[in-house]
Amino acid sequence: MSIDRIQLNGKKILEKDFKTGIRGYSQEEVDEFLDIIIQDYDNFKQEIDHLNEEIEKLKNNRPAETPRARSTQPNSQVNYDVLKRLSNLEKAVFGKRYADSEE
């Protein structure tokens, strides 16, 4: 639905002033205005129905959420393992002399 098809908003409806004829308001003018209101509400209803259908399609097509796996090791343990691996790598690359000079 294009927003251009909507002819009324709350302000326009509230501010609408009908001209009075000999016997009151012009029946033709009131009927024309009510026809516009009816068209707008029909357009709103169609748009709401369309959006509800789209919502249902998106709900049905979305992948099931999978819970994230949490690490079973505490962070300090993981950090220790990383540091130990790094130390072993340094020993392998730089040799025993590097490891002895660290201590």
Side-chain angles (χ1 to χ4, degrees), residues 1-10 12-13 32-48:
M1 178 177 122
S2 171
I3 197 75
D4 299 334
R5 289 182 15 194
I6 299 171
Q7 300 176 39
L8 298 175
N9 60 33
K12 286 183 181 179
I13 293 170
E32 287 174 8
F33 189 69
L34 291 175
D35 287 343
I36 293 170
I37 293 172
I38 291 168
Q39 287 175 351
D40 278 353
Y41 279 87
D42 286 344
N43 290 337
F44 290 140
K45 176 70 171 125
Q46 288 175 3
E47 181 66 11
I48 290 168

Side-chain angles (χ1 to χ4, degrees), residues 18 22 43-45 51 55 63 70 73 76 79 81 83:
F18 296 103
I22 297 174
N43 290 337
F44 290 140
K45 176 70 171 125
L51 292 173
I55 288 169
R70 292 192 62 139
Q73 295 179 324
S76 61
N79 290 341
D81 289 344
L83 290 174

Side-chain angles (χ1 to χ4, degrees), residues 64-76:
E65 293 181 24
T66 56
R68 292 184 177 178
R70 292 192 62 139
S71 174
T72 56
Q73 295 179 324
N75 281 342
S76 61

